Amino acid sequence: MSRWVLLLLGLLLVAAPFTKFASADEYGDDDDDDEADAAPKGDDDPDVVVLTTKNWDTVVKPSKFALVEFYAPWCGHCKTLKPHYSKAATILKTAAPDVVIAKVDATVEESLGTKFGVQGYPTLKWFVDGELASDYNGPREADGIVGWIKKKTGPPATTVDDAEKLKELEGDNGVIILGYFKEFAGEAYDAFKSFAAKTEDVFFVQTTSAEVAKSAGLDKHDTIAAVKNFAGEDRETAALDKEIEAEVLAEFVKGEKLPPTIEFNQENSQKIFNSGITKQLILWTKEADLANDAEIMKVYKEVGKKFKGKLVFVTVNNEGAGADPVTNFFGLKGAESPVLLGFFMEKNKKYKLKDAFTVENVAKFAESVVDGTAEAEFKSQPIPEDADEEGVTIVVGKSVESVVLDKTKDVLLEVYAPWCGHCKKLEPIYKKLAKRFKKVDSVVIAKMDGTENEHPDIEVKGFPTILFYPAGEDQKAIVFEGGDRSLKSLTKFIKNNAKVPYELPKKGGESDEGTSDDKDKPTGGDHDEL
């Protein structure tokens, strides 16, 4: 998934960084100085067990089920997850007493982190009978965590025999997928049960009761319905009009599990980015425009119902505290409301409605985003008057064509982020590289701020990204994937890929690939995610 969440958030997501629950970051804190056979609990997380190398075998090994979070005390995402994780632990203490909810300070218990392949924070792992079963990639809010664990430890669908029980369940779930069968057997039921067991973000119910089926809008066996009770929306049911098969179920659930519009915030980010729908419309506007009776919202919802399953219709209150990631990511600072955007996560493509906000225009724009005919927009800073920074050429989105894609030049481009630690470590080496090639007219050493500038021919998945564009007609980017980013490695990378012959000025023991006393330390091959 190319994250709105990560991509964005490094900017936009708050959940981006929440990418895999298992590799983003989330909470922590506590001490673990208890005895080996103890199962200590945090003072502010009374139902979360604190694990150490000393008590691991006495807590996790004998447990039927255990969800373990590996965290760092300084990790912002870990801190955000913390109250949700704690609340889930408290709920599950009664609802699922055979499940241990635990956490490990991986900065202290490094051997445990290494043993279980922890590479980022927070990482959550699911254990069954004391053995690692899988990574946890589920929701990051309390109810979602509880639902995920209930699905893992209980039947895939809850059996309901009367309409009152269904009504009770509706109060706890925005959407319920209900299967109606003559008996819990047969091909249709097996397909339903199998799909329910594999789907973690939706609550499934099964029944043989005609009364229950009728309350969900069903009047025949071996079919399913979505019962929707989203906040701020009227109760609504939608029945599947095809035979129950895996692919049919997947498409049906994808189109019904989200409300007509969904607010962009940290709690909803996973619902948006893990919905299975890779394209979104984003309505960025004032709070008053987002009221249910506002004309703009009426238009947005009307179109949203026509494109369910194809687009996620997201709303952003640009007067709220949580709007900054979207505002910055899409370059909307100072823009007039409303702004309707399109976003294609997989390709990091952005679109903007340029016509009046009417049902006809919004629907036409939505269709163009779905079918790929919408015209993409790319951010760019103004072209600087002085584009030279100690020999490094400063590139912006508007100057990529004239500088990076210059067919007469071999160009090395670093795409960086001002906040990126790896980029800061690379900076002095990159400036030395530019100095080394200063008198080579055919080679350009350039850099571009990837948080402020974009181009359709430049794909960036992390910072820094180093790309080489050879001279000539075939200017397909060559990605630098060396083991380190030393002066010698970068010099050799240019030499191996340059199309225009050149000679580097030699000084003493210097060679084309670097000086004999090259002491620049490599920065390593790490990236900061977008």
Side-chain angles (χ1 to χ4, degrees):
M1 176 176 72
S2 162
R3 309 147 187 158
W4 209 36
V5 238
L6 272 199
L7 216 183
L8 293 195
L9 287 279
L11 281 170
L12 206 195
L13 226 191
V14 167
F18 281 152
T19 248
K20 298 172 179 174
F21 215 12
S23 106
D25 336 287
E26 287 193 44
Y27 11 12
D29 89 21
D30 274 303
D31 48 0
D32 31 355
D33 51 359
D34 301 81
E35 308 237 339
D37 58 350
K41 309 217 177 147
D43 292 339
D44 51 354
D45 292 322
D47 298 308
V48 177
V49 177
V50 178
L51 294 174
T52 68
T53 52
K54 294 179 180 179
N55 69 359
W56 181 276
D57 286 346
T58 58
V59 176
V60 177
K61 285 290 185 183
S63 299
K64 177 61 178 175
F65 304 105
L67 180 64
V68 180
E69 177 204 3
F70 295 82
Y71 74 95
W74 43 259
C75 163
H77 302 303
C78 300
K79 293 176 182 177
T80 302
L81 175 62
K82 184 182 175 71
H84 295 282
Y85 199 62
S86 179
K87 181 180 178 181
T90 300
I91 294 172
L92 290 165
K93 183 179 181 180
T94 301
D98 57 348
V99 178
V100 172
I101 304 298
K103 63 181 179 180
V104 176
D105 183 344
T107 66
V108 175
E109 306 298 334
E110 294 182 5
S111 62
L112 287 176
T114 300
K115 180 178 180 180
F116 295 108
V118 175
Q119 298 180 337
Y121 305 115
T123 290
L124 281 81
K125 303 278 186 178
W126 177 245
F127 294 81
V128 177
D129 293 330
E131 300 296 329
L132 177 62
S134 67
D135 285 346
Y136 174 90
N137 293 309
R140 295 163 179 76
E141 35 79 29
D143 290 343
I145 296 170
V146 170
W148 188 93
I149 289 177
K150 284 184 176 180
K151 179 65 68 70
K152 286 291 186 181
T153 59
T158 298
T159 300
V160 174
D161 295 323
D162 63 80
E164 283 303 313
K165 178 60 176 178
L166 179 63
K167 185 176 181 180
E168 179 185 326
L169 291 173
E170 288 178 23
D172 298 326
N173 299 277
V175 62
I176 289 174
I177 303 299
L178 181 142
Y180 176 41
F181 305 94
K182 186 175 182 180
E183 59 179 339
F184 296 144
E187 290 185 10
Y189 175 70
D190 289 343
F192 171 80
K193 185 173 67 172
S194 175
F195 181 78
K198 298 173 184 176
T199 306
E200 298 164 354
D201 59 347
V202 177
F203 187 75
F204 289 83
V205 164
Q206 61 188 27
T207 189
T208 56
S209 165
E211 175 195 11
V212 174
K214 184 178 180 180
S215 71
L218 298 177
D219 58 7
K220 63 178 182 178
H221 294 109
D222 294 344
T223 189
I224 66 171
V227 183
K228 297 175 284 187
N229 280 285
F230 298 115
E233 303 289 332
D234 294 332
R235 183 182 187 271
E236 185 180 353
T237 63
L240 177 66
D241 58 1
K242 300 178 181 179
E243 290 187 8
I244 296 177
E245 296 176 353
E247 291 184 5
V248 172
L249 280 172
E251 284 301 308
F252 178 77
V253 172
K254 183 171 70 172
E256 302 294 343
K257 67 182 179 181
L258 293 179
T261 65
I262 183 169
E263 180 184 1
F264 177 79
N265 55 37
Q266 183 169 297
E267 181 177 341
N268 288 338
S269 63
Q270 286 302 303
K271 296 177 183 178
I272 295 170
F273 298 118
N274 290 338
S275 67
I277 303 171
T278 60
K279 296 179 180 180
Q280 299 106 27
L281 289 196
I282 305 130
L283 175 58
W284 180 90
T285 193
K286 298 176 291 185
E287 184 176 7
D289 291 337
L290 300 176
N292 281 334
D293 59 353
E295 191 60 33
I296 286 176
M297 196 61 169
K298 289 179 181 178
V299 168
Y300 198 49
K301 284 189 174 183
E302 182 176 341
V303 178
K305 291 178 180 179
K306 299 176 183 178
F307 287 87
K308 63 181 181 180
K310 297 179 180 179
L311 293 168
V312 181
F313 279 65
V314 181
T315 63
V316 179
N317 173 12
N318 62 19
E319 297 173 325
D324 285 352
V326 180
T327 302
N328 295 335
F329 184 72
F330 288 97
L332 296 175
K333 191 172 183 179
E336 292 186 10
S337 303
V339 174
L340 182 61
L341 305 159
F343 184 63
F344 183 12
M345 290 192 301
E346 290 184 350
K347 300 294 184 182
N348 187 27
K349 286 189 175 182
K350 306 166 187 177
Y351 317 95
K352 185 181 293 184
L353 175 67
K354 298 178 181 179
D355 301 314
F357 199 95
T358 65
V359 169
E360 182 180 3
N361 289 339
V362 172
K364 185 177 179 181
F365 177 65
E367 187 62 47
S368 70
V369 173
V370 170
D371 65 23
T373 60
E375 182 181 351
E377 292 205 342
F378 298 92
K379 290 191 298 183
S380 178
Q381 294 173 302
I383 297 177
E385 292 184 10
D386 182 4
D388 184 277
E389 184 180 288
E390 297 185 48
V392 179
T393 300
I394 306 302
V395 173
V396 297
K398 295 177 180 178
S399 63
V400 169
E401 300 286 340
S402 60
V403 178
V404 178
L405 302 182
D406 183 345
K407 292 180 174 58
T408 67
K409 305 288 187 181
D410 289 303
V411 181
L412 185 71
L413 176 68
E414 177 208 0
V415 185
Y416 72 96
W419 43 260
C420 164
H422 301 298
C423 302
K424 292 176 182 177
K425 291 178 182 178
L426 175 61
E427 185 175 8
I429 296 173
Y430 207 66
K431 287 180 177 178
K432 287 184 180 181
L433 183 70
K435 184 178 181 181
R436 176 167 289 175
F437 281 87
K438 185 176 183 180
K439 295 183 179 181
V440 180
D441 292 338
S442 63
V443 175
V444 176
I445 307 300
K447 69 177 183 178
M448 182 176 80
D449 181 348
T451 67
E452 295 290 342
N453 301 280
E454 300 166 332
H455 188 275
D457 293 335
I458 297 177
E459 183 176 354
V460 178
K461 295 182 179 179
F463 298 123
T465 289
I466 300 175
L467 305 167
F468 187 81
Y469 292 83
E473 295 301 321
D474 183 10
Q475 293 184 302
K476 185 177 180 181
I478 302 169
V479 181
F480 176 78
E481 295 178 326
D484 62 63
R485 302 189 189 104
S486 67
L487 187 59
K488 183 175 181 179
S489 293
L490 291 169
T491 302
K492 186 175 182 179
F493 178 64
I494 294 172
K495 178 184 178 182
N496 290 342
N497 294 289
K499 295 297 184 182
V500 180
Y502 68 86
E503 287 188 15
L504 282 176
K506 295 178 174 58
K507 294 181 180 179
E510 184 178 349
S511 71
D512 276 358
E513 295 181 6
T515 62
S516 58
D517 61 346
D518 186 353
K519 295 181 180 179
D520 286 308
K521 295 180 180 179
T523 65
D526 294 330
H527 293 77
D528 281 327
E529 291 199 30
L530 291 172

